[in-house]
Amino acid sequence: MPDNADPRLAALRRLQAVATGALLVAIAGWVMGHAMGAQGGWAWVIAACEAATIGALADWFAVVALFRRPLGLPLPHTAIVPRNKDRIADHLAQFVRDHFLAPDVLLPHLRTLDPAAHLGQWLRDPARVAQVVNVARSASAELLALLEDERLADALHRLLREQARQWNASASVGQVLGLLTRGERHHALLDAGLHQVAHWLGEEPAKKALAAMALRHIRKEWPWLIGLAERFASVPNMADSLAAQVSASAIAELREVLAQPHHPLRQRYDAWVNAQIERLRHDPSLMADVNALKDRTLDDPVCRAYVDTLWRDIRAVLHADLAAPDSHVARHLAQMLTLLGERLAEDPALRAALNTHLEHLAGDLSQTVQNGLSEHIARTLKAWDDERLVTQIERSVGRDLQFIRLNGTLIGAMAGLVLHALRVL
């Protein structure tokens, strides 16, 4: 802020003028008292003005000595603030760290505040929700516009491709499959598949399809058998009967697998899955094949063109939606925020859970930023030149310091009157 526009400077200058004026009045009264003979009432004026002048000069010296050397004289214990700038910076940073950012100070205030309840109340106001949605729309539109910059897009593509080339896809797939199969989750997938197969085999279309397949195979491989069988019975009926028996046998076998946790088929399935996971993690040949497939996919111009086109279309759709007055994204975001506000207002358990997570997050963040922020404060203050530091502090508290000068003048005058009274009496 320019000096002329800082209201603190104008207030400081006014009080400085008043305090200096009081000093000049005291000096003028002392001079006039002596000029008038220093007798009678003028003796009282001289006593008051003399003590007022001493008090005003002493407090002027004290105030100025905080920031500068009075009259430029290299007196000891003057220019206290600039001479101790580093120490002041360290102590201020330590004060902020210990009294504002310490977890044992911050967290009790956070518990008392109940941020989840305040958030719920805040989100129940449609105007505030609209404000959040508008900010989110603007930020999203700016991000999309940023990603449309060709230089940034090219740099981002190169970065992503380089990272993808360094990525060990085989090991990652093995880790994901290991996570998916932990606790025998893959057996639930096997059960779901077997249930579907058994259900399909029990339906008439499946039986007819099996019968038709069997009939086609027999007609192709053993046409003579068809002619022989037709002398005794209808071949299509025989095929239907065979398909029904095969279907029933398969369903019975599937039900047996589903009923027995240690069925041999399950054991073979489990062994095969675990073997493939181990190969993805440790088999150099398979790992090389998977990563080679990944690299070929990255280098494939058709795949790259497809991804670029897909991203361009998604970006265009999002940009058009965010710019529309009836944006679907904005409407869904507003509905979600409103619903969150209602849930927070109505559900004490949800508020308690959110407050607990916020408290843990605040504790972690306070420990993370506590030292970093205090060091930043100290570095910033130490980097200021002496005049800038003095100017900022003087404009903040200098007006009150001028009252000290005024009080010193007035108290000095009263002390002079009291001492003169004691001397006279």
Side-chain angles (χ1 to χ4, degrees):
M1 179 183 297
D3 288 348
N4 295 335
D6 192 343
R8 299 176 302 170
L9 179 61
L12 175 62
R13 292 287 181 260
R14 285 195 299 270
L15 264 297
Q16 284 177 332
V18 172
T20 303
L23 172 61
L24 294 176
V25 168
I27 294 173
W30 182 83
V31 171
M32 182 174 291
H34 280 284
M36 299 301 294
Q39 298 297 322
W42 289 109
W44 291 87
V45 172
I46 290 173
C49 291
E50 186 176 57
T53 301
I54 294 173
L57 288 174
D59 286 340
W60 167 83
F61 181 91
V63 169
V64 173
L66 283 173
F67 305 109
R68 299 174 180 83
R69 297 188 182 278
L71 303 177
L73 299 175
L75 300 175
H77 304 293
T78 58
I80 294 173
V81 170
R83 286 177 52 249
N84 295 275
K85 180 178 67 175
D86 291 351
R87 185 160 58 91
I88 292 172
D90 290 334
H91 288 176
L92 178 61
Q94 183 179 358
F95 178 80
V96 172
R97 182 194 65 194
D98 295 340
H99 296 277
F100 291 90
L101 300 177
D104 56 347
V105 174
L106 181 64
L107 296 184
H109 289 290
L110 189 63
R111 296 189 194 103
T112 305
L113 180 62
D114 190 6
H118 285 281
L119 177 61
Q121 184 178 4
W122 197 84
L123 289 176
R124 298 184 77 182
D125 185 348
R128 288 171 174 167
V129 171
Q131 182 181 3
V132 174
V133 170
N134 289 334
V135 171
R137 289 178 66 178
S138 300
S140 301
E142 287 294 329
L143 179 59
L144 290 174
L146 180 64
L147 294 176
E148 290 177 357
D149 187 284
E150 293 184 0
R151 294 168 298 180
L152 179 62
D154 290 341
L156 185 60
H157 286 169
R158 287 195 299 270
L159 177 62
L160 291 176
R161 289 184 63 190
E162 291 173 1
Q163 293 298 318
R165 288 188 185 282
Q166 298 175 10
W167 169 46
N168 189 341
S170 179
S172 297
V173 172
Q175 290 175 352
V176 171
L177 289 177
L179 178 64
L180 294 177
T181 56
R182 185 179 300 170
E184 298 188 346
R185 296 188 184 105
H186 57 302
H187 284 282
L189 180 63
L190 175 64
D191 290 346
L194 294 179
H195 277 295
Q196 284 297 112
V197 172
H199 178 73
W200 179 77
L201 288 174
E203 294 180 342
E204 283 302 319
K207 295 177 182 179
K208 291 186 179 297
L210 288 175
M213 290 171 56
L215 191 58
R216 283 197 305 271
H217 183 73
I218 294 173
R219 288 184 187 279
K220 180 179 178 181
E221 299 295 333
W222 304 292
W224 58 270
L225 186 59
I226 297 296
L228 180 62
E230 286 181 344
R231 296 179 181 180
F232 302 100
S234 170
V235 172
N237 291 338
M238 293 174 63
D240 291 341
S241 177
L242 178 62
Q245 294 177 11
V246 170
S247 175
S249 298
I251 291 174
E253 182 67 22
L254 292 176
R255 287 175 176 171
E256 184 178 351
V257 173
L258 289 169
Q260 298 181 17
H262 302 291
H263 192 277
L265 178 62
R266 287 185 180 276
Q267 294 177 354
R268 290 196 299 271
Y269 167 70
D270 197 42
W272 179 83
V273 170
N274 291 327
Q276 297 310 309
I277 293 175
E278 287 300 312
R279 288 191 63 202
L280 286 167
R281 289 176 174 175
H282 305 295
D283 187 345
S285 176
L286 182 59
M287 293 174 69
D289 291 341
V290 173
N291 287 318
L293 175 62
K294 174 203 67 178
D295 293 337
R296 287 196 301 271
T297 303
L298 291 173
D299 294 332
D300 187 358
V302 175
C303 182
R304 291 173 59 185
Y306 173 77
V307 173
D308 290 342
T309 303
L310 180 63
W311 167 239
R312 187 165 54 250
D313 292 344
I314 292 174
R315 191 176 59 205
V317 170
L318 288 175
H319 189 76
D321 183 83
L322 291 171
D326 56 342
S327 169
H328 295 286
V329 174
R331 184 172 67 253
H332 288 302
L333 178 59
Q335 292 173 351
M336 182 184 67
L337 292 174
T338 302
L339 180 61
L340 175 61
E342 293 174 354
R343 289 287 306 278
L344 286 173
E346 300 169 357
D347 191 342
L350 179 60
R351 290 198 303 273
L354 181 58
N355 282 332
T356 300
H357 288 293
L358 289 176
E359 183 178 332
H360 291 163
L361 178 62
D364 294 339
L365 286 177
S366 66
Q367 293 179 351
T368 301
V369 305
Q370 189 177 15
N371 291 327
L373 185 58
S374 63
E375 291 174 1
H376 171 70
I377 293 173
R379 280 197 308 269
T380 302
L381 291 177
K382 291 177 182 179
W384 284 3
D385 60 82
D386 294 348
E387 186 59 32
R388 182 182 180 189
L389 178 63
V390 165
T391 299
Q392 292 299 321
I393 297 178
E394 190 175 27
R395 290 183 183 182
S396 298
V397 300
R399 186 171 180 271
D400 296 319
L401 295 177
Q402 301 311 309
F403 280 109
I404 293 178
R405 292 177 58 191
L406 281 172
N407 292 336
T409 305
L410 296 175
I411 292 175
M414 288 187 291
L417 290 173
V418 171
L419 291 174
H420 183 72
L422 291 175
R423 185 168 56 249
V424 171
L425 299 175

